[in-house]
Every structure is written in structure tokens, then in C-alpha cells.
Amino acid sequence: MRALVFDGSQPRFTKTHPEPEPASGEALIRPLRMGICSTDLEICRGYMGFEGVLGHEFVGVVEQVNERRKSPLVGKRVVGRINCVCRKCDMCRGGLPEHCRDRTVLGIAGRDGCFADRFTLPAANLLEVPDSLDDDGAVFTEPLAAAYQILKQLHIEGRPFVTVLGDGRLGLLCAQVMTRLNATVRVVGKHPQKLALCEKWGVKHRLLEEVGLRADQDVVVDCTGSAQGLKVAMQMVRPRGRIVLKTTVAPGSSGTPGSPGTPGSEPVDLSPLVIHEIQLLGSRCGPFPDALAALVAEQVDVVSLISRRMKLADGVEALKAAKRKDVIKVLLEP
Amino acid sequence: MRALVFDGSQPRFTKTHPEPEPASGEALIRPLRMGICSTDLEICRGYMGFEGVLGHEFVGVVEQVNERRKSPLVGKRVVGRINCVCRKCDMCRGGLPEHCRDRTVLGIAGRDGCFADRFTLPAANLLEVPDSLDDDGAVFTEPLAAAYQILKQLHIEGRPFVTVLGDGRLGLLCAQVMTRLNATVRVVGKHPQKLALCEKWGVKHRLLEEVGLRADQDVVVDCTGSAQGLKVAMQMVRPRGRIVLKTTVAPGSSGTPGSPGTPGSEPVDLSPLVIHEIQLLGSRCGPFPDALAALVAEQVDVVSLISRRMKLADGVEALKAAKRKDVIKVLLEP
């Protein structure tokens, strides 16, 4: 079958990838729409040491489920949680399956991803997509869930000042989600044409160069995708404030100047965290039901984020396009 | 007067430092005992860009207070909070004076320290030391307060597994304080002779080389004083666990391999914070009343931490001694 594969040195498109075989309890899924995420780009720079089929954002149709009785999911349109878990380890049994010790992660760790004609996921990971939500919306469930994770982690009191740092794919989703808090939210980014979307949504926005680094924000959400984002966040957040860290970058990544692990680049001095007693909250995958419900209810505008639609066969080009500063979301179609 | 001064390139002892003059509301203090802290050593490597009289740990006698009416503190033995605050800024008025925007910090930022014949602090910063607590105990109030700060910041539920990482000055204080939680506490360090003190206190302890990095600790307190401590802490803490960060190191410090800002050294990759959704809590100065009360009640053994007593005039040598791996606390006497 066709697939977009990272071979350890570069991404390449192939027509001869082996067909996946669903293990017991797994579904075979045919993607209808796929999304390119910054994590895919970081993987192509060595992040996670992953090799195999790329991709973890999708909406697709279940072709088959490897179960004794016929699954009601067959033929249904689904989205799916990307962490495939053991249900036996201390994390799974302790209520944190997304942190399973033995997990594989779709297109990120130990499991081929969704940028292919077909791929597999445990049937238990899948959520049916209501008919009222189209493919363009549903494909955003995974990244939107990552944004909703922030609401699960932050406990807000009063009416805090919140800055979402970064006007990229994730930043613009986080910004829309954060406005659902009792908070004064602004997006700070580097790209006027991306920030213009905030105008449309009624979300405050500023260019980074115009913003004073005044250590006056109660919460800063780092969605920059650059290690230098944390440095700016530490200058923006007030003493005893909180930074939500969404950015992961590949160590030694040449594409993200100053990223951790880059020899010769400028590493980030963490002493402001101690001096100003800042809380740093690492934040990763999030609640699919919340994200799906928000999309169905049209509480979040994702269609405006779509910059390009490209074919899976042009996947290598699509990855390049997704790196461009003027591009927000690139979707792949079969 | 005599003073131990950092001149921007090295520490030196002088007999001709100008006598300090207490400003309005300030006390003139003659130190009886002073403690050398890792922060003093980092300052001598460029941390905080401080120049002036070193030192912020002391017990001393108030010689004079610049106030209209005679202060009851004159002639009293005192310890003192090191942050000198404006009482006007948003932090001061918001209940976080230790994070005052315009603060000076004794021997750390914008204010000469206590390694001298005399120094000044606002009278409002001083706490009288009860007669039952001797100078050797009282001089530990400041670092012990920094350890008690952790109890103010952590909200413990259940009976968590806590690792105090680092068996130095601060680690051994934190270890004793953490045992006051409903927690299973262990100290992990590199120095058998320092860890032997834990034996005396009934605190569990292990050598770092003997400990598996199993991501199974609920809380890790990083008291290593090295940027690599955070790397180890991230390997020890469980997913969704917490790291209390006490370590501050000078950017570009050659003495702490791998510290942030050291060109050519190995910077710390922070992506585990995101992947495992770890909380990082920066923690600095703490509550003096709690620390003083614990010392008076003999709840904490500080005397065992005293490795050397040296004279202020031998301060440069004392700073060197404090760097030695087999030395815990070096006290200075006038």
C-alpha cells in the first residue's frame, strides 16, 4: 500500500509499504483526511527516534475489527486516541493510561502512523464522529484535545491574565479554548496574517515585538515549538505564575535554533523558574470527548486554520509546506 | 571595616570597606556567625551579576536602628529575611513581598551582604532569636526556611514517595523537613559520608549509582546545585509527578558541568516534562518563623552539618573549603 514513511534520515513516499494487519482488538482504518502536526516535522528531525509511517491526526472509516463478534464500529467514521496502552502497568491501573509504561503511540513511538492507505489502532481508542461534523472538522479532534488538556490541568481562580505564546497550529487552537475560561486571553505571535484570525474570533492579539516582557501574566501557554519560547515565557509570566509547556523539540534539531541539545546553540537558563518561583506544567495529549463535542457544537473555528490540502502521494511536499511560516494547517487527502 | 567582597572577577578580603549607614527604618547589625551557601559560590562564578559584600546567612546583634523612637531590637540577637522590599509594587501589595519588583537582596542583588564587620537590613526584616537557641543553630534559619518553603508549595495527598536529590547543605536540610510530611522520603546523593548523616536521623538514603531511574517517585526535590540534577530528576519522577527545583546555577559556570548557558556543555532536554506531563515548581526563599520555631524545638539537626569554622579574615579560603565535596557547611566567625 501507499505510505509516507520516515526512514531515520528523511521522509519519503512509498507505494510498497506492507499492508497492516490488525491484532486482536484492533481496527483497520482507512483515513479520509489527515493533519500534519509540528510533531511530525520534529520527528523528521530525529525527535523520539521514530522510524516508520508518519502521522497521528486523522478521521477515517473502520474497515474491519479483529474481534470475535462483529463490531458496531465497522463502516463508521471515527477519530482515535493515539496512545495504545497495556491496561496492566501501574499507570494504566492508576488511572493514567495515557502515561502507560508500555504504550505505543500512533506515528510517534513503536507504531506505524496514519499517513497511509490503511493503519491500525485498538478499537477501544476510537470514537464515532457524529454525521453533523464533516471530515475537515473531525480531523482536528486530536490537536484540539491537546488544547483542552490545558483546561484539565489549570485550576483557575479569579480572572487571570493569560498569554498564549505562538500563533501556529496549536497556539490558535489553544487561544480559542482558553477563551472558555474566566480569563483575559491574548495571543502573542510573530505573524500578522495568522494573528488576523484572532481578530475574527474576537481574541486579543499582539505581535511579539510590540509586547513588553513585563512579568505580569498569570499564565503563559508556550505553543511556540521553539526552545526559546520558554525563555520568553519566563520573562512574561509573573512571579509565582504558571507556564504551560506544550513545546517539544528534537534535541540537536537544527531547524529550531537554540533547542535543548543543540551543541553550540544558546541553551535556556532555568534559574528564573527558581528565582520567581514559577510553576511549569508539561502538557501533552488531551480529552477526545471534550474536543469532539466542541467541534460538533461549533465552539471552535478550525476551518479557518486550513492553509493547504494536498494528496498523500505529495506527502513529502506537504511536510515542506507545513514548515512554511505563512502556512497554518496542511491537510492530506488519500 | 573588614569585608569579604566579590569584585566581579574574584572574591577578596578587604579591611577598608566603607562602613554601612542604615537608611531610615534600617538596622545596623554586627554578625556573630555567618554561613556560606552554594549561592555565594555561584555568585563568585557570575550568578546574578552581583558585585559587593558577599553573604546572606547570619545571626547577629542589632547595634542601632535608624528610627525616630528607640527600637526594642537594639542589643538583641536577630536573624533576618534577605529580601528588602518596597511595599508599594503590585507584588508587595498582592501579598507576595518576597517577589517585590524593586527588591534588593542581601549579598545577592543590589545590597551588600553580611560577610563583614557590620551590615544593614530593614528592621522589619528581623526576627529576634530566643535565648534557648545558640548561634550555631540560629545561623541556619535562612537555609532552613528555604527548605520549609517546599512544604508551603507542595500539597500532599496520600503517602507519596519523595526523593530529595543531592546530599549537600540544602539537600540534608530539605530531607529533614520533608520527613515531617506524610511521605516516604529518601535522599539520593553521591557522598557516603554525607549520606551517613541520614542514617543518624532515620532517613532512608541511597547512592545515586545504586538507584534505578524508574520514573516512580511522586515528588523529586532537586537540591543538586547542578543543571544535570534536573535531568536525573526527570528520569526519577513518575508521569504527572512533581519536581521541586531548588537549584540555581550561573549561566556559563565552568564549575557546574552542563549548566544552562555553558557553551559546549550538554544542555538539558526538557521534552520529558511535556511527554510525561511533569510539574516543575521553582522554589526559593521561605518562611523564617517556621524555620526558627523548628530550630528552637530541636526538630532539625543542623549542628551535624557544620564541617568547618573559619574566621571572616580567612573568607577567601573558606569559600574554597565550601566547594570541597567532603565539606557540608562552612561557618564564618568575626
Side-chain angles (χ1 to χ4, degrees):
Chain A
M1 67 169 187
R2 304 177 309 153
L4 187 63
V5 173
F6 179 65
D7 64 8
S9 65
Q10 58 186 8
R12 58 186 177 77
F13 176 74
T14 172
K15 290 181 178 172
T16 59
H17 198 79
E19 283 282 344
E21 301 233 346
S24 175
E26 285 189 349
L28 185 70
I29 302 158
R30 174 171 54 83
L32 300 167
R33 206 75 98 235
M34 300 148 271
I36 295 178
C37 164
S38 295
T39 301
D40 301 318
L41 305 180
E42 286 299 315
I43 284 172
C44 291
R45 290 168 180 149
Y47 176 63
M48 296 296 290
F50 177 78
E51 291 181 26
V53 178
L54 291 163
H56 58 274
E57 298 180 4
F58 71 92
V59 54
V61 171
V62 177
E63 298 211 319
Q64 170 193 336
V65 177
N66 185 347
E67 280 177 355
R68 278 191 200 161
R69 52 178 191 172
K70 183 169 169 10
S71 165
L73 283 170
V74 174
K76 293 292 196 298
R77 211 162 49 111
V78 296
V79 291
R81 282 181 277 261
I82 68 176
N83 295 293
C84 306
V85 305
C86 75
R87 300 186 183 277
K88 291 173 194 160
C89 72
D90 58 334
M91 288 292 125
C92 283
R93 302 210 295 203
L96 294 175
E98 63 273 36
H99 290 286
C100 169
R101 306 277 187 181
D102 296 317
R103 71 183 179 277
T104 59
V105 187
L106 187 69
I108 295 177
R111 172 179 285 266
D112 272 344
C114 64
F115 294 168
D117 281 330
R118 277 166 295 280
F119 66 97
T120 63
L121 262 186
N125 283 34
L126 304 179
L127 282 82
E128 190 180 338
V129 177
D131 288 340
S132 62
L133 182 63
D134 64 14
D135 293 344
D136 279 354
V139 73
F140 281 89
T141 308
E142 198 278 337
L144 187 61
Y148 268 95
Q149 180 70 352
I150 302 171
L151 303 201
K152 297 269 181 197
Q153 292 176 285
L154 279 183
H155 302 279
I156 292 288
E157 287 171 20
R159 187 172 169 85
F161 288 92
V162 175
T163 291
V164 175
L165 194 58
D167 53 13
R169 289 172 273 274
L170 187 57
L172 293 174
L173 289 176
C174 288
Q176 293 185 73
V177 169
M178 298 300 283
T179 57
R180 307 195 70 77
L181 292 170
N182 180 36
T184 302
V185 177
R186 67 171 184 179
V187 179
V188 173
K190 291 181 176 175
H191 309 96
Q193 76 280 22
K194 293 183 186 175
L195 291 172
L197 286 171
C198 295
E199 196 72 38
K200 182 172 168 182
W201 303 326
V203 175
K204 286 201 273 187
H205 57 89
R206 296 286 295 279
L207 279 168
L208 179 58
E209 64 201 46
E210 293 171 353
V211 169
L213 301 174
R214 293 200 196 88
D216 59 1
Q217 298 296 295
D218 298 294
V219 176
V220 178
V221 182
D222 174 17
C223 299
T224 58
S226 152
Q228 295 302 305
L230 178 56
K231 190 174 170 183
V232 175
M234 289 191 293
Q235 293 172 291
M236 279 187 172
V237 76
R238 69 165 170 85
R240 291 266 180 98
R242 288 177 286 178
I243 296 173
V244 179
L245 191 61
K246 279 282 180 192
T247 291
T248 53
V249 287
S253 162
S254 59
T256 44
S259 73
T262 312
S265 71
E266 189 197 347
V268 176
D269 173 13
L270 297 180
S271 60
L273 295 180
V274 178
I275 295 170
H276 304 305
E277 300 194 316
I278 296 164
Q279 266 191 45
L280 202 63
L281 292 156
S283 179
R284 190 170 47 102
C285 300
F288 268 55
D290 301 42
L292 198 53
L295 289 165
V296 170
E298 298 185 325
Q299 289 171 345
V300 178
D301 168 24
V302 294
V303 173
S304 299
L305 303 183
I306 302 170
S307 303
R308 299 281 297 272
R309 295 164 189 281
M310 298 173 77
K311 293 289 178 189
L312 175 62
D314 300 318
V316 174
E317 281 306 306
L319 288 167
K320 281 184 195 157
K323 278 186 212 171
R324 288 177 42 174
K325 295 290 178 200
D326 58 339
V327 164
I328 304 175
K329 198 73 182 180
V330 177
L331 296 184
L332 292 175
E333 296 171 352
Chain B
M1 65 168 189
R2 303 177 310 152
L4 189 63
V5 173
F6 179 66
D7 64 9
S9 65
Q10 58 186 10
R12 57 184 177 77
F13 177 74
T14 173
K15 290 181 178 174
T16 58
H17 198 78
E19 284 283 343
E21 302 234 345
S24 174
E26 285 190 349
L28 185 71
I29 302 158
R30 174 171 54 84
L32 299 167
R33 207 75 99 236
M34 299 148 271
I36 295 178
C37 164
S38 295
T39 302
D40 301 318
L41 305 179
E42 287 300 316
I43 284 172
C44 291
R45 290 167 180 149
Y47 177 61
M48 296 295 292
F50 177 77
E51 292 180 27
V53 179
L54 290 163
H56 58 275
E57 298 180 4
F58 72 92
V59 54
V61 171
V62 176
E63 297 210 320
Q64 171 194 337
V65 177
N66 184 346
E67 279 177 355
R68 278 191 202 164
R69 52 178 193 175
K70 182 169 165 21
S71 165
L73 283 170
V74 174
K76 293 291 195 300
R77 212 162 47 110
V78 296
V79 292
R81 283 183 277 260
I82 68 176
N83 296 294
C84 307
V85 304
C86 75
R87 300 186 183 276
K88 290 173 196 162
C89 72
D90 58 335
M91 288 292 125
C92 284
R93 302 210 295 202
L96 294 175
E98 62 274 35
H99 290 287
C100 169
R101 306 278 185 182
D102 296 317
R103 72 184 178 276
T104 58
V105 188
L106 187 69
I108 295 176
R111 172 179 285 265
D112 272 343
C114 65
F115 294 169
D117 281 329
R118 277 166 296 279
F119 66 97
T120 62
L121 264 186
N125 282 33
L126 304 179
L127 282 82
E128 189 180 338
V129 177
D131 288 340
S132 62
L133 181 63
D134 64 13
D135 293 344
D136 279 355
V139 74
F140 281 90
T141 308
E142 197 278 338
L144 187 61
Y148 269 95
Q149 180 70 351
I150 302 171
L151 303 201
K152 297 270 181 198
Q153 293 177 286
L154 278 182
H155 301 279
I156 293 288
E157 287 172 19
R159 189 174 168 83
F161 288 92
V162 176
T163 291
V164 175
L165 194 58
D167 53 13
R169 290 172 273 274
L170 186 58
L172 293 173
L173 289 176
C174 287
Q176 293 185 72
V177 169
M178 298 298 284
T179 57
R180 308 196 69 79
L181 292 171
N182 180 37
T184 303
V185 177
R186 67 171 183 178
V187 179
V188 173
K190 291 181 175 175
H191 309 96
Q193 76 279 19
K194 292 182 186 174
L195 291 171
L197 286 171
C198 296
E199 197 72 40
K200 182 173 168 183
W201 303 325
V203 175
K204 286 201 273 186
H205 56 90
R206 296 287 295 280
L207 280 167
L208 179 58
E209 64 200 47
E210 291 170 353
V211 169
L213 301 174
R214 294 201 195 88
D216 58 1
Q217 299 295 295
D218 298 293
V219 176
V220 177
V221 182
D222 174 15
C223 300
T224 58
S226 152
Q228 294 303 304
L230 178 56
K231 191 174 171 182
V232 175
M234 288 191 292
Q235 292 172 292
M236 280 186 171
V237 77
R238 69 165 171 84
R240 291 265 180 99
R242 287 176 286 178
I243 296 173
V244 179
L245 193 60
K246 278 284 182 192
T247 289
T248 51
V249 288
S253 162
S254 58
T256 45
S259 71
T262 311
S265 71
E266 190 197 344
V268 177
D269 173 14
L270 297 180
S271 60
L273 295 180
V274 178
I275 294 170
H276 305 305
E277 300 195 316
I278 296 164
Q279 267 191 43
L280 203 63
L281 293 157
S283 179
R284 191 171 45 103
C285 299
F288 268 54
D290 300 43
L292 198 54
L295 289 165
V296 170
E298 297 185 326
Q299 290 172 344
V300 178
D301 169 23
V302 294
V303 173
S304 298
L305 303 183
I306 302 170
S307 303
R308 298 282 296 273
R309 293 164 191 281
M310 297 173 78
K311 294 288 178 190
L312 175 62
D314 300 320
V316 174
E317 280 306 306
L319 287 167
K320 281 184 194 157
K323 279 186 209 170
R324 288 177 43 174
K325 294 291 179 200
D326 58 339
V327 164
I328 304 175
K329 197 72 183 181
V330 178
L331 295 185
L332 292 175
E333 295 171 353

